[in-house]
Amino acid sequence: AVPIGVWDVYLTASNSIGAGNDAKKVGYVTIQRSSYNMGAGTALPANVINVSAGTIYDDGGPTGNYGNNKTTEALIAPCGASSVSLDFTSFDLRANATLKIYDGVNALGTPLHTGNGFTSGNAPSGTVTANSGAMYMLWTSTNGTTAAGFTANWTSVAGTAAAPIADYSYPSTTLYNAVNVNFGNTSANAEGSTKFEWTLTGPVNTSATTKDFSYTFLTNGKYTLELKVIACDGRASTKSRTFDVVS
């Protein structure tokens, strides 16, 4: 097997007359990892799974039982994906284990599990799909008898591949003191593991990295709110607006 990495490809041709010219393509083939055990190798934020398809297991892997007293996470977010789908090929848990799955980059996303999570008495049925292009998985186990755990295959659908366009909505260019204001993220092409950076400057300065931004102004004055959208491939877009806060 070829190890994971980026490889050059060389071609040498010859026939009965003699040798031809050699051909070389640099960085022509990329071999990516496509099988993961939930654990240190999927710990966040450093280990986002960004391949388009693959297989994921509990911490016991394809041949072992899951361990006791585990809390592990994984984020499947192929760069530029518009959706990620997960199909379970095996699911064998005892009463001490739970798998929760969310549409989004963390547990603040929309739950895709039923009840309080997939368990021995509440196994997943059918395909689980995250339409944001990012799927967050949270696995927990406590003391007790263990079992084989789960095996699941994911696939993804590529998005537009277009650069992000930052934008947001808000009620008015004049906002009122002591009233909570929601700034809704309306950015285009913000798929998969896109990052958002909000920066509020003015009489009071603050920042956030949530998809949307909510804030209660307690000081009057002129403010500027900037939203920076950063795609998984590094392309970025910024939108700034200025408004007044009055009593």
Side-chain angles (χ1 to χ4, degrees):
V2 179
I4 294 170
V6 179
W7 295 87
D8 302 337
V9 176
Y10 298 82
L11 175 63
T12 300
S14 63
N15 57 22
S16 59
I17 298 175
N21 295 327
D22 293 345
K24 174 185 177 181
K25 292 193 174 182
V26 177
Y28 189 64
V29 174
T30 300
I31 306 299
Q32 295 180 308
R33 180 181 175 186
S34 61
S35 178
Y36 294 82
N37 300 351
M38 291 189 69
T42 62
L44 299 172
N47 299 296
V48 176
I49 301 171
N50 56 19
V51 294
S52 60
T55 304
I56 191 163
Y57 307 91
D58 59 86
D59 62 280
T63 59
N65 285 4
Y66 62 83
N68 291 130
N69 300 312
K70 300 288 185 179
T71 299
T72 58
E73 58 184 350
L75 175 59
I76 302 173
C79 189
S82 62
S83 66
V84 177
S85 295
L86 192 70
D87 289 287
F88 289 85
T89 59
S90 66
F91 195 84
D92 182 12
L93 276 58
R94 297 296 179 263
N96 62 340
T98 302
L99 175 64
K100 296 181 178 181
I101 304 177
Y102 298 87
D103 187 352
V105 298
N106 52 39
L108 298 177
T110 303
L112 298 176
H113 52 267
T114 54
N116 293 318
F118 295 128
T119 63
S120 58
N122 181 35
S125 60
T127 302
V128 179
T129 299
N131 288 312
S132 68
M135 178 180 288
Y136 177 76
M137 304 174 67
L138 180 63
W139 167 264
T140 57
S141 67
T142 58
N143 281 326
T145 303
T146 63
F150 70 86
T151 302
N153 299 319
W154 81 85
T155 57
S156 60
V157 175
T160 62
I165 302 172
D167 203 359
Y168 62 88
S169 63
Y170 65 119
S172 170
T173 54
T174 300
L175 305 176
Y176 292 93
N177 196 312
V179 176
N180 184 261
V181 181
N182 292 312
F183 298 87
N185 193 328
T186 59
S187 302
N189 309 323
E191 300 164 325
S193 55
T194 300
K195 296 180 181 179
F196 305 103
E197 297 178 355
W198 297 87
T199 304
L200 179 69
T201 56
V204 177
N205 301 326
T206 190
S207 61
T209 57
T210 51
K211 181 178 180 180
D212 301 307
F213 180 66
S214 180
Y215 191 73
T216 300
F217 295 90
L218 299 177
T219 304
N220 291 351
K222 187 175 292 293
Y223 290 82
T224 298
L225 179 62
E226 177 186 281
L227 169 62
K228 185 176 183 179
V229 181
I230 307 169
C232 51
D233 59 6
R235 292 181 294 176
S237 174
T238 302
K239 183 69 175 183
S240 294
R241 288 189 172 95
T242 299
F243 48 85
D244 296 310
V245 174
V246 299
S247 297

